[in-house]
Amino acid sequence: MFGYVAANLHDLDEAERQRYRAAYCGLCHALGQHYGQASRFALTYDLAFLVLLLGSLYEPPEETGLKRCAPHPVKPHPYLRTRYTDYAADLSVALAYHKCQDDWSDDRSLPARAYASALSGAYRAAKERQPRACAAIEDGLAAIAAIERDPASPPDAAANRFGALLGQLFACEDDMWAPTLREMGDQLGRFIYFMDAACDVQRDRRTGSYNPLATLDLSEQDIGEMLQLFAARATRQFEKLPLEQDLHLLRSVLYSGIWQKRAAQQAKEAKKQARRTRKDDRAAASPTKKDA
């Protein structure tokens, strides 16, 4: 379900791109350090965004430098780490582990089962490091699975629950900013859930997989307006935070980056439709044997 919260690199200057990649590399190093090489497959830009967001808000000390690693053994790459990098690494392992468990339960995916097994020890360690967050993930994903199995569930029930879960993960400190972070995460989580559903709706209609949009008679415009509503609510909370460092980078994620997958999918569908139209036009223009 993740993969949507990423920066639009076209909006960034070279220094911002370097810092963004450094935060991503820092998260990769934290995963390898705490949980071993297998955990690096859980790396996502979504949680690199959380590292930068919490770092901008709380301004913790930063560790920066150059390192070689298994993915880049020859040339050292810049990295950036804070205490929120370690927090994001813990969440990465927990979310990946439960995503694999869910894929095995739903689809009997053998690769998912194998990766869940590989992450089982890492997840136990993450749970010891982040008991509150891991409990929230377990409870939230179990509730979502139950909602998705119940045909009587309202279409927005699972999205609401995923939003509540993400809100808990964003509000990692018990302080004055926790309500704003919680509401931001809540609305962003609803956006992510419905964006994922929008991107998969045609496939899920064919396969019969659960999708809250599959049974609704919504136009592309209706879906777009719904997504814009959740995105606007998330950015409204974001703008309440006193952020300075990486502000333009973070805005590039929330105002542009989160739309990239949908835009790419729509462009692909438009090209397919254009090819079909040209093919139909050629067929209509060609004389049939009877006409000849």
Side-chain angles (χ1 to χ4, degrees), residues 74-123:
V74 177
K75 182 180 178 182
H77 281 59
Y79 72 90
L80 158 69
R81 287 181 65 170
T82 71
R83 64 191 178 97
Y84 296 110
T85 305
D86 291 340
Y87 175 66
D90 300 335
L91 297 187
S92 298
V93 166
L95 290 166
Y97 174 77
H98 284 288
K99 172 66 166 61
C100 289
Q101 293 281 55
D102 187 54
D103 287 348
W104 166 247
S105 176
D106 289 347
D107 305 322
R108 285 298 184 259
S109 168
L110 292 176
R113 185 184 186 187
Y115 192 45
S117 178
L119 286 179
S120 59
Y123 178 62

Side-chain angles (χ1 to χ4, degrees), residues 14 24 62 66 129 140 191 226 272 283:
E14 185 55 32
Y24 184 75
E62 293 185 355
L66 295 170
R129 289 165 57 89
F191 172 90
M226 177 183 65
K272 285 183 180 179

Side-chain angles (χ1 to χ4, degrees), residues 248-286:
H248 181 257
L249 195 167
L250 293 166
R251 281 176 172 160
S252 83
V253 175
L254 294 175
Y255 288 93
S256 177
I258 58 175
W259 300 99
Q260 290 178 111
K261 280 197 172 183
R262 180 168 168 81
Q265 185 185 55
Q266 289 176 325
K268 185 177 180 181
E269 288 299 320
K271 286 182 179 179
K272 285 183 180 179
Q273 183 58 47
R275 285 196 297 268
R276 286 194 292 266
T277 300
R278 288 195 297 269
K279 184 177 179 181
D280 292 343
D281 290 344
R282 286 195 299 269
S286 300

Side-chain angles (χ1 to χ4, degrees), residues 11-128:
D11 290 345
L12 307 180
D13 61 29
E14 185 55 32
E16 289 171 324
R17 292 190 196 103
Q18 295 247 354
R19 185 165 172 84
Y20 188 49
R21 294 188 186 107
Y24 184 75
C25 285
L27 180 53
C28 184
H29 286 303
L31 282 164
Q33 176 187 340
H34 293 303
Y35 300 114
Q37 295 301 321
S39 71
R40 283 180 152 146
F41 291 102
L43 182 64
T44 67
Y45 274 108
D46 307 80
L47 286 162
F49 168 79
L50 186 60
V51 171
L52 291 170
L53 174 69
L54 296 176
S56 183
L57 178 60
Y58 293 113
E59 300 180 341
E62 293 185 355
E63 175 192 340
T64 59
L66 295 170
K67 272 189 179 181
R68 292 182 176 88
C69 61
H72 304 287
V74 177
K75 182 180 178 182
H77 281 59
Y79 72 90
L80 158 69
R81 287 181 65 170
T82 71
R83 64 191 178 97
Y84 296 110
T85 305
D86 291 340
Y87 175 66
D90 300 335
L91 297 187
S92 298
V93 166
L95 290 166
Y97 174 77
H98 284 288
K99 172 66 166 61
C100 289
Q101 293 281 55
D102 187 54
D103 287 348
W104 166 247
S105 176
D106 289 347
D107 305 322
R108 285 298 184 259
S109 168
L110 292 176
R113 185 184 186 187
Y115 192 45
S117 178
L119 286 179
S120 59
Y123 178 62
R124 287 193 295 272
K127 196 171 180 179
E128 289 181 6

Side-chain angles (χ1 to χ4, degrees), residues 184 230-240 254-255 258:
M184 178 188 168
F230 292 126
R233 288 175 176 173
T235 54
R236 189 177 302 126
Q237 299 304 315
F238 169 81
E239 295 295 349
K240 293 178 182 179
L254 294 175
Y255 288 93
I258 58 175

